[in-house]
Amino acid sequence: MTFLHRRTVLRAAASGALVGAAGAAAAGCAGPDGTADGGVAARGPAASPGGASKGPDVARPPVLPPLPAGLPAQIEHGPRTGNAVALTFHGQGDPKTATDMLTAAERAGARLTVLAVGDWLDAQPRMARRVLDGGHELGNHTMRHLDISTMSAAEAAAEIHECAERLRGLTGGIGRWFRPSRTQYATDQVARLAREAGYPHVLSYDVDSLDFTDPGAEAVRRTVLDAVRPGSVVSLHFGHAGTVAALPAILDGLHRRGLRAVTTTELLTR
């Protein structure tokens, strides 16, 4: 894979991935907790979901590097031969907690991937710009964070499309990544609907922090560092104080092993 200079990657904020595992398996994404082709939107303020201009609050869409050919439709982790991992966050919950998480990552030189829930973006539209301005990636985690695996095709499609439109209204693009809600892996139907909505790759993960169960900062740190490997995609959540407290220790533990926390795009294109 082609090495990309870090500055190039930091302009990216939403992208596809490697070594996938398809199939249906329940996963830790419980409780309430942008362009698919990397195109650049026209200049000028984008419209909000309600149609009104967001003016200076609108984040400009990132310029995304192309993904390597041959990536699977469902991505669980990246290359095991490098020194990078992707910390991916389910975007929902208290915006202060989310901001604290982003700030802690930035202080450590880390970049995150945030899969935002659409109704959270409705309530906290400024968070879209905050994520992108920090050099992180922003993607789609459905509109209302319901159990998408049990929905009809029409219901599931609406969950994906409505969140995509929130992202488009706030950033000018839909983001590169889609992650299904309340499951680790997308069903064949959900993966197909995601492709039709402009997401050729479903972003899964191989390390579940279980932070949504609120086990405490030390338990979150231990769970992540015990399981993480080069190329891992780690599932974490905004909205949990224990995760905020654990993040500096997780980043320090990665550093001690010679690992770096990068965006998912960088993980797959370095």
Side-chain angles (χ1 to χ4, degrees):
M1 294 183 183
T2 303
F3 175 79
L4 295 180
H5 191 283
R6 185 174 184 80
R7 286 185 184 174
T8 300
V9 175
L10 293 187
R11 291 188 191 130
S15 160
L18 185 66
V19 186
C29 182
D33 300 301
T35 64
D37 60 1
V40 179
R43 290 294 176 182
S48 71
S53 169
K54 302 302 290 186
D57 291 334
V58 174
R60 295 304 174 206
V63 177
L64 301 177
L67 295 172
L71 293 177
Q74 193 143 205
I75 295 156
E76 189 176 7
H77 60 81
R80 298 298 193 188
T81 55
N83 67 341
V85 300
L87 303 182
T88 66
F89 284 78
H90 301 216
Q92 199 170 22
D94 177 14
K96 182 182 183 306
T97 305
T99 299
D100 289 347
M101 200 90 69
L102 295 169
T103 300
E106 290 152 15
R107 285 174 178 163
R111 296 294 177 262
L112 313 177
T113 300
V114 178
L115 293 313
V117 177
D119 59 12
W120 183 65
L121 293 176
D122 280 351
Q124 309 294 338
R126 292 177 182 269
M127 287 305 302
R129 178 166 184 167
R130 175 63 185 88
V131 170
L132 297 184
D133 283 353
H136 311 286
E137 292 194 283
L138 185 63
N140 182 329
H141 195 36
T142 75
M143 185 63 203
R144 292 170 293 168
H145 201 266
L146 305 175
D147 187 352
I148 197 168
S149 298
T150 65
M151 294 180 179
S152 69
E155 292 169 332
E159 283 291 306
I160 299 168
H161 281 275
E162 287 178 29
C163 185
E165 287 309 306
R166 298 311 190 268
L167 289 165
R168 192 191 307 278
L170 292 169
T171 72
I174 67 171
R176 179 173 276 170
W177 302 116
F178 167 73
R179 174 171 288 167
S181 48
R182 297 184 182 268
T183 182
Q184 183 173 0
Y185 303 117
T187 63
D188 290 344
Q189 172 176 273
V190 170
R192 173 180 59 79
L193 294 170
R195 284 194 303 275
E196 292 172 359
Y199 300 99
H201 306 285
V202 172
L203 182 58
S204 184
Y205 48 89
D206 65 318
V207 177
D208 189 348
S209 70
L210 301 176
D211 62 341
F212 63 92
T213 65
D214 292 315
E218 173 56 24
V220 173
R221 182 201 68 82
R222 187 171 57 249
T223 298
V224 172
L225 293 180
D226 283 352
V228 73
R229 300 166 51 195
S232 282
V233 176
V234 183
S235 171
L236 295 145
H237 293 71
F238 285 167
H240 296 267
T243 310
V244 178
L247 186 60
I250 290 171
L251 293 172
D252 182 63
L254 294 175
H255 176 73
R256 289 173 184 274
R257 298 184 194 183
L259 297 174
R260 297 170 52 237
V262 302
T263 65
T264 306
T265 290
E266 186 174 7
L267 177 70
L268 298 164
T269 57
R270 293 177 74 247

